C-alpha cells in the first residue's frame, strides 16, 4: 500500500551547504550499515542487525529539523535514527559488538541503542513498543512547559499494534507534540503489508483528527519540508501529526535474510532506482550545486571515519563480569 | 544414541524407543500437521507462519498442505490473534496461536490470563477454550533483553492454563498433540536453541499426557529436576557427577501445569537430595515452586535442603561477555550438586 497526499518542495530556499550536510549524514548511515553487515558476515558481530539501507532520507530529513533536546524513539531497525539524531560512530559500533565503550555498555546491542545526550530515548525490540514512550515524552513536554517535540519512528508492521492507536488518540485529545513517523517499507519481516494492513494508512490517524500525510520517503527534500511543517506546528501547540513515508528496505529483514524469497528481484530493482542518496546527488548535480567529485570526497571522508570507528570498537574491551548485575535498579 | 546440543552423546534412556531420528522442529511440525489432518477444526494463526513457515522455519510446508484458510499469516497483532484464538476456541474451533518470541507473550496477557484461563470456570463449566499458544523461550542467541526471556513461570502461575516445556523431539511431538486435543488453553514453550536438536521419534501415532514427568536418567544419590533445554545442561552435569562417583537421577517434569508432583517427590525420597534447574528468572520462578513441592513432600527423607538454580535476576544482557553468565551452566549445576552430596 502506497498512499501520498504529501508535501512537495523543491528545497530551493536552502543552500547547497545544507544539502551536502544532509548528504553526508545519509552516506554516514549507509557506510555504517555496510560495515555492520561486514562485521556480521565475518562473524565478528554477535547476534543480528536490521539494516536501514534505502531508508536513510527519512531519519535524516526528520532529524535535520529537530533540536538536540528534542526526543526520538526508534525501532529494531534503528541505527539510522540514532546516527541522524547525533550518535557517534565509534560508540555505536562498540555497542553492536557488546563492548563496554558502547552506548549501553554492551547491555543493549543493535536493537537497543539509547543516548539521552542526543535525545534518543531508545531503540526498541518490540514492534510498536515505543508508541507509548514517545507519547509519554510528549505528555512530559506539555507538563514541563517546554517547546520540545518527540518523534516516534516505527515501521508499517507496527500499524498492527493497538498501542499505537491508544497513544494517537490521547496525543490528539491533549494536543501533545508528538510526530508519528511510519516508515512504510512495504514489508513486515517476510510479509507484504497488502496482506496485513486493511484500509487506509493515513486514515488510521485522520480518524482521530490527527494531521496526517503520506509522502515520498526516498526524497529527502520532501521529507525535510514535511518535517519542517509538522514539527513547527507541534512545537507551537498545534498537536500531533502522523506521516506515512513510503520507502523500501534495500536489504533483507535482517543481515541473515539474504535470499528474500518473499519478493521479486524486479521489485527490488525498481526501488533501487529511487535510492535516496542517488536522488539527492542527481538533484544537486542538475541544479549545479555540486558534482561527482564532491560526492566522492564526502564518501571517502565518511569511509575513513567509519573504518576508524570499527577499529576502535574491535579493540575496545568487553565489560567486566560485575557489569551484569549493575543497572537492574536505579 | 544421539548427539545433543552440547556435543555430548546421551544414553537411550533419555529417549523413547524408536529408530527414526528427527529434529525438535520437525517433531513440532509433524504434530501440528497430523492433528490438522485428523481434525479440521485445528488451524494455525500467527506472524509469518504461512508463507515463511515461521521465522524459525518450524511450520514450513503446512501452508501447501492445508491452505491459507487454515494456516494464516496475521498482522503484527499479538493481542488480536490471541483474542481471535479465544473466541474461535469457544465457538468450536481448535486454534494454534503462534507467538514468535516468548517475550511478546506480554502482549497477550489479558487475553490469556483474564479471558482464556477464566472462561470455563466463570461460565460454570459451560464454555471451553481448547486453544494452544505456541511460543519460545531461552537465551544465548545474543538477542538482548527483549528476545531472550523464559517467561513460562508467568503462565504457570495462572489456574486454568496448562503449560508444557518439552526438551526432546519425542516429548515435543507427544505433548503438542495432547495440547491440541486438550479442552483447555495450553501454552507450549519451545527453546529456540533446541530446534535443530535431533532425537528418536517413532513413526506411528502417539500422544503424551500433560502432567506426566519423565525420568531421563535413573540414579541413586541426588535428584536433579530440569526443564526444557536445561535438561541438556543437567545431563552434562549428570555425566560429570558420574565421573566423580555420584549417581544422579534426572527428572524432567515436561509440563509445569499440571505438575507431576508424585514423580518429583518419589525421586527425591529415593535419592534424599534434590536440585531444581530452570532457565526462567530465579526469583518467584518455576524453580521455587518445584523446590517447595519437593521440600513439602519429601521432607522426612531429605539429607540436604532442596536447592535451585534459575537464570540470574537480571534482564538478559546483549554482550556475549555477560549473557552466558546469566544462564545456568553445566559446571555450576555440577558444582552445586557435588557440594550437596559432600
Ligand atoms: C510485538 C512484536 N511482534 C513481533 C516482533 C518480531 N518482529 C521483529 S521486526 C518485525 C517486522 C516489523 O515490521 P515493520 O514494523 O514494518 O518494520 P521493518 O522491519 O519493516 O522496518 C517483526 C514481526 C517484534 N519484534 N515485536
Ligand atoms: Mg516494514
Amino acid at each position: 500500500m502506497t498512499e501520498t497526499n504529501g508535501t512537495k518542495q523543491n528545497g530551493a530556499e536552502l543552500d547547497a551547504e545544507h544539502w551536502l550536510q544532509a548528504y553526508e549524514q545519509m552516506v554516514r548511515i549507509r557506510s555504517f550499515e555496510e560495515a555492520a553487515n561486514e562485521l556480521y558476515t565475518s562473524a565478528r558481530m554477535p547476534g543480528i542487525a536490521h539494516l536501514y539501507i534505502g531508508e536513510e532520507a527519512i531519519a535524516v530529513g526528520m532529524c535535520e529539523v529537530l533540536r538536540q533536546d528534542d526526543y526520538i524513539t526508534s525501532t529494531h531497525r534503528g541505527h539510522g535514527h540514532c546516527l541522524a539524531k547525533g550518535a557517534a560512530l565509534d560508540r555505536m559500533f562498540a555497542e553492536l559488538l557488546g563492548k563496554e565503550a558502547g552506548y549501553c555498555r554492551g547491555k543493549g546491542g543493535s536493537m537497543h541503542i539509547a543516548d539521552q545526550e542526543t535525545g534518543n530515548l531508545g531503540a526498541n525490540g518490540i514492534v510498536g513498543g515505543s508508541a507509548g514512550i514517545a507519547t509519554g515524552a510528549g505528555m512530559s513536554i506539555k507538563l514541563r512547559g517546554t517547546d520540545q517535540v518527540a518523534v516516534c519512528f516505527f515501521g508499517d508492521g507496527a500499524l498492527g499494534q493497538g498501542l499505537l492507536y491508544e497513544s494517537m488518540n490521547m496525543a490528539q485529545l491533549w494536543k501533545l507534540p508528538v510526530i508519528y513517523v511510519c516508515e512504510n517499507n512495504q514489508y513486515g519481516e517476510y510479509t507484504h503489508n497488502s496482506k496485513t494492513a486493511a484500509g487506509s494508512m493515513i486514515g488510521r490517524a485522520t480518524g482521530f483528527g490527527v494531521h496526517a500525510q503520506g509522502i515520498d520517503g526516498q526524497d529527502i527534500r520532501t521529507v525535510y519540508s514535511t518535517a519542517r511543517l509538522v514539527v513547527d506546528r507541534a512545537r507551537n501547540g498545534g498537536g500531533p501529526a502522523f506521516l506515512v513515508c513510503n520507502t523500501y528496505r534495500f536489504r533483507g529483514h535482517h543481515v541473515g535474510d539474504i535470499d528474500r524469497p518473499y519478493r521479486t528481484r524486479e521489485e527490488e530493482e525498481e526501488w533501487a532506482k529511487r535510492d535516496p542518496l542517488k536522488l539527492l546527488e542527481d538533484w544537486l548535480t542538475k541544479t549545479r550545486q555540486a558534482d561527482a567529485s564532491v560526492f566522492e570526497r564526502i564518501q571517502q571522508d565518511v569511509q575513513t571515519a567509519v573504518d576508524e570507528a570499527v577499529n576502535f570498537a574491535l579493540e575496545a574491551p568487553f565489560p567486566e563480569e560485575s557489569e551484569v548485575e549493575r543497572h537492574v535498579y536505579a | 544414541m544421539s548427539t545433543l546440543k552440547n556435543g555430548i552423546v546421551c544414553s537411550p534412556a533419555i529417549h523413547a524407543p524408536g529408530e527414526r531420528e528427527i529434529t525438535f522442529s520437525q517433531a513440532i511440525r509433524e504434530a501440528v500437521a497430523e492433528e490438522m489432518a485428523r481434525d479440521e477444526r485445528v488451524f494455525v494463526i500467527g506472524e509469518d507462519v504461512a508463507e515463511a513457515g515461521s521465522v524459525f522455519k518450524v511450520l514450513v510446508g503446512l501452508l501447501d498442505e492445508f491452505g491459507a484458510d487454515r494456516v494464516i499469516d496475521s498482522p503484527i497483532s499479538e493481542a488480536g490473534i490471541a483474542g481471535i484464538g479465544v473466541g474461535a476456541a469457544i465457538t468450536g474451533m481448535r486454534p494454534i496461536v503462534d507467538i514468535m518470541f516468548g517475550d511478546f507473550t506480554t502482549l497477550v496477557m489479558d487475553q490469556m490470563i483474564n479471558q482464556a484461563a477464566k472462561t470455563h470456570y466463570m461460565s460454570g463449566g459451560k464454555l471451553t477454550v481448547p486453544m494452544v499458544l505456541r511460543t519460545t523461550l531461552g537465551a544465548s542467541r545474543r538477542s538482548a533483553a527483549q528476545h531472550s526471556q523464559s517467561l513460562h513461570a508467568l503462565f504457570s502461575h495462572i489456574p486454568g492454563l496448562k503449560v508444557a516445556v518439552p526438551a526432546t523431539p519425542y516429548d515435543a511431538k507427544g505433548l503438542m498433540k495432547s495440547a491440541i486435543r486438550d479442552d483447555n488453553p495450553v501454552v507450549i514453550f519451545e527453546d529456540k536453541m533446541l530446534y535443530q536438536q535431533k532425537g528418536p521419534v517413532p513413526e506411528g501415532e502417539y500422544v503424551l499426557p500433560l502432567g506426566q514427568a519423565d525420568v531421563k536418567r535413573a540414579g541413586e544419590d541426588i535428584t536433579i529436576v530440569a526443564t526444557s533445554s536445561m535438561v541438556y545442561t543437567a545431563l552434562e552435569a549428570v555425566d560429570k557427577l558420574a565421573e566423580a562417583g555420584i549417581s544422579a537421577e534426572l527428572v524432567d517434569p515436561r509440563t509445569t501445569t499440571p505438575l507431576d508432583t508424585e514423580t518429583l517427590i518419589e525421586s527425591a525420597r529415593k535419592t534424599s537430595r534434590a536440585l531444581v534447574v530452570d532457565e526462567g528468572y530465579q526469583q518467584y520462578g518455576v524453580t521455587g515452586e518445584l523446590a517447595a513441592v519437593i521440600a513439602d513432600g519429601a521432607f522426612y527423607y531429605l539429607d540436604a535442603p532442596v536447592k535451585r538454580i534459575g537464570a540470574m535476576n537480571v534482564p538478559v544482557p546483549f554482550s556475549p561477555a555477560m549473557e552466558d553468565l546469566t544462564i545456568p551452566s553445566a559446571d555450576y549445576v555440577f558444582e552445586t550438586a557435588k557440594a550437596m552430596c559432600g
Side-chain angles (χ1 to χ4, degrees):
Chain A
M1 188 193 302
T2 296
E3 278 176 87
T4 39
N5 63 340
T7 325
K8 285 248 184 295
Q9 285 264 339
N10 57 21
E13 79 279 10
L14 292 162
D15 59 16
E17 198 189 333
H18 167 97
W19 292 118
L20 285 174
Q21 264 170 23
Y23 178 73
E24 181 177 335
Q25 192 67 286
M26 289 201 288
V27 172
R28 182 178 286 119
I29 294 171
R30 174 84 41 111
S31 307
F32 180 94
E33 296 294 53
E34 292 289 7
N37 191 46
E38 166 64 23
L39 286 168
Y40 169 80
T41 48
S42 58
R44 288 179 295 173
M45 181 182 79
I48 54 161
H50 306 81
L51 305 183
Y52 195 63
I53 292 176
E55 308 184 29
E56 294 93 341
I58 304 170
V60 175
M62 287 305 306
C63 290
E64 275 210 292
V65 306
L66 298 181
R67 303 192 311 228
Q68 178 150 352
D69 69 337
D70 287 329
Y71 300 118
I72 63 162
T73 62
S74 171
T75 68
H76 58 285
R77 197 175 304 289
H79 305 161
H81 310 134
C82 301
L83 288 167
K85 194 65 175 59
L89 292 167
D90 52 0
R91 297 187 65 198
M92 288 275 297
F93 279 120
E95 189 58 38
L96 261 57
L97 299 186
K99 302 299 181 70
E100 193 186 349
Y103 271 109
C104 309
R105 307 180 65 81
K107 285 185 155 116
S110 161
M111 271 194 290
H112 301 288
I113 290 171
D115 174 30
Q116 78 274 32
E117 307 261 300
T118 57
N120 174 3
L121 303 181
N124 209 309
I126 302 300
V127 168
S130 72
I133 296 170
T135 310
M139 181 62 116
S140 151
I141 290 167
K142 187 179 172 187
L143 294 175
R144 286 183 287 110
T146 70
D147 69 344
Q148 294 159 284
V149 168
V151 173
C152 179
F153 290 104
F154 54 91
D156 47 321
L159 296 175
Q161 291 285 322
L163 175 67
L164 179 64
Y165 304 106
E166 299 184 23
S167 301
M168 279 202 290
N169 181 48
M170 289 186 276
Q172 178 66 7
L173 275 176
W174 303 322
K175 289 280 182 288
L176 306 180
V178 186
I179 314 299
Y180 300 92
V181 179
C182 176
E183 299 179 314
N184 177 18
N185 62 11
Q186 320 298 324
Y187 291 83
E189 284 186 348
Y190 318 116
T191 304
H192 192 266
N193 65 34
S194 57
K195 296 181 191 156
T196 53
S200 153
M201 287 190 184
I202 56 174
R204 284 159 163 76
T206 53
F208 295 117
V210 171
H211 174 86
Q213 283 180 252
I215 62 168
D216 178 2
Q218 300 309 89
D219 177 8
I220 188 162
R221 293 180 301 131
T222 301
V223 176
Y224 177 86
S225 48
T226 313
R228 181 90 276 158
L229 211 90
V230 294
V231 168
D232 288 351
R233 184 176 168 277
R235 217 186 278 296
N236 296 317
F242 177 80
L243 302 180
V244 177
C245 304
N246 294 299
T247 183
Y248 200 74
R249 63 166 153 75
F250 285 7
R251 302 294 169 82
H253 170 59
H254 58 70
V255 282
D257 171 26
I258 40 180
D259 296 337
R260 306 182 305 285
Y262 48 87
R263 65 187 198 188
T264 64
R265 298 298 85 90
E266 291 73 43
E267 179 183 287
E268 293 178 351
E269 278 156 29
E270 276 310 302
W271 276 95
K273 292 180 192 154
R274 309 216 63 247
D275 183 327
L277 273 66
K278 179 110 192 346
L279 292 186
L280 183 56
E281 280 174 14
D282 289 350
W283 178 72
L284 286 168
T285 310
K286 205 175 71 199
T287 52
R288 294 170 196 275
Q289 300 185 73
D291 59 29
S293 67
V294 177
F295 307 137
E296 254 163 52
R297 201 203 61 234
I298 291 175
Q299 287 163 11
Q300 276 163 12
D301 289 352
V302 166
Q303 194 56 50
T304 308
V306 165
D307 291 345
E308 276 169 17
V310 168
N311 286 334
F312 166 83
L314 285 170
E315 274 155 35
F318 280 110
E320 301 281 331
E321 290 196 357
S322 60
E323 183 70 31
V324 175
E325 287 186 286
R326 293 182 64 200
H327 310 118
V328 179
Y329 296 99
Chain B
M1 301 285 263
S2 83
T3 309
L4 299 175
K5 96 167 164 186
N6 306 325
I8 52 168
V9 175
C10 81
S11 80
I14 192 168
H15 298 303
E19 291 304 304
R20 188 179 62 135
E21 296 233 331
I22 60 173
T23 63
F24 193 101
S25 169
Q26 287 167 323
I28 294 281
R29 175 164 53 237
E30 266 189 18
V32 173
E34 283 176 20
E35 292 306 301
M36 288 184 78
R38 178 181 172 269
D39 183 346
E40 62 186 20
R41 297 171 301 174
V42 180
F43 71 96
V44 178
I45 185 167
E47 295 152 24
D48 285 311
V49 294
E51 298 276 354
S54 94
V55 296
F56 300 111
K57 302 287 167 218
V58 177
L59 305 176
V60 169
L62 287 187
L63 175 65
D64 287 344
E65 198 172 341
F66 299 102
D69 281 349
R70 295 182 69 198
V71 187
I72 304 164
D73 273 331
S74 77
I76 308 172
S77 304
E78 285 80 5
I81 58 175
I84 280 175
V86 178
I90 293 176
T91 52
M93 301 300 286
R94 290 190 169 258
I96 301 173
V97 175
D98 187 295
I99 303 291
M100 197 182 292
F101 281 78
D103 309 71
F104 313 156
T105 62
T106 54
L107 295 160
V108 307
M109 282 303 177
D110 180 67
Q111 295 307 310
M112 294 309 294
I113 294 180
N114 286 324
Q115 315 301 338
K118 310 279 192 283
T119 296
H120 186 63
Y121 190 82
M122 289 194 304
S123 67
K126 282 192 189 133
L127 305 175
T128 57
V129 190
M131 72 182 280
V132 172
L133 191 99
R134 61 173 285 269
T135 191
T136 56
L137 60 70
S140 66
R141 284 165 50 99
R142 319 309 184 205
S143 307
Q146 294 174 340
H147 286 75
S148 305
Q149 297 171 94
S150 299
L151 296 177
H152 48 299
L154 295 182
F155 292 95
S156 308
H157 183 58
I158 305 301
L161 298 180
K162 296 186 179 181
V163 179
V165 281
T168 65
Y170 176 77
D171 292 350
K173 182 171 178 186
L175 293 173
M176 177 59 86
K177 284 170 72 85
S178 290
I180 296 168
R181 293 183 198 184
D182 202 280
D183 282 335
N184 298 284
V186 182
V187 187
I188 293 207
F189 284 90
E190 303 160 14
D191 191 308
K192 303 181 279 286
M193 300 301 280
L194 287 182
Y195 280 132
Q196 297 318 314
Q197 174 73 57
K198 275 194 160 183
V201 174
E203 295 275 358
E205 156 88 21
Y206 70 95
V207 293
L208 292 173
L210 302 171
Q212 194 178 88
D214 183 40
V215 177
K216 297 264 192 275
R217 271 292 171 84
E220 302 296 328
D221 303 328
I222 182 169
T223 296
I224 301 181
V225 181
T227 59
S228 188
S229 61
M230 287 300 111
V231 166
Y232 300 103
T233 303
L235 202 66
E236 208 181 316
V238 168
D239 286 342
K240 288 183 88 174
L241 287 164
E243 282 165 29
I246 297 167
S247 155
E249 177 149 301
L250 176 56
V251 182
D252 173 5
R254 297 197 290 201
T255 55
T256 54
T257 329
L259 180 65
D260 181 355
T261 55
E262 217 173 283
T263 302
L264 262 52
I265 291 167
E266 210 178 281
S267 174
R269 284 184 176 182
K270 183 181 86 178
T271 62
S272 76
R273 293 177 181 88
L275 169 63
V276 185
V277 191
D278 177 83
E279 204 183 329
Y281 302 121
Q282 182 160 314
Q283 62 188 17
Y284 296 89
V286 162
T287 55
E289 177 70 16
L290 302 195
V293 162
I294 294 168
D296 233 21
F299 183 77
Y300 293 106
Y301 299 78
L302 293 177
D303 289 337
V306 182
K307 289 246 177 206
R308 61 196 179 113
I309 303 174
M312 280 175 77
N313 296 324
V314 303
V316 182
F318 164 71
S319 183
M322 294 189 277
E323 183 180 25
D324 295 342
L325 302 174
T326 69
I327 302 153
S329 70
D331 279 344
Y332 190 56
V333 174
F334 166 74
E335 293 297 344
T336 308
K338 193 165 154 244
M340 288 172 71
C341 295

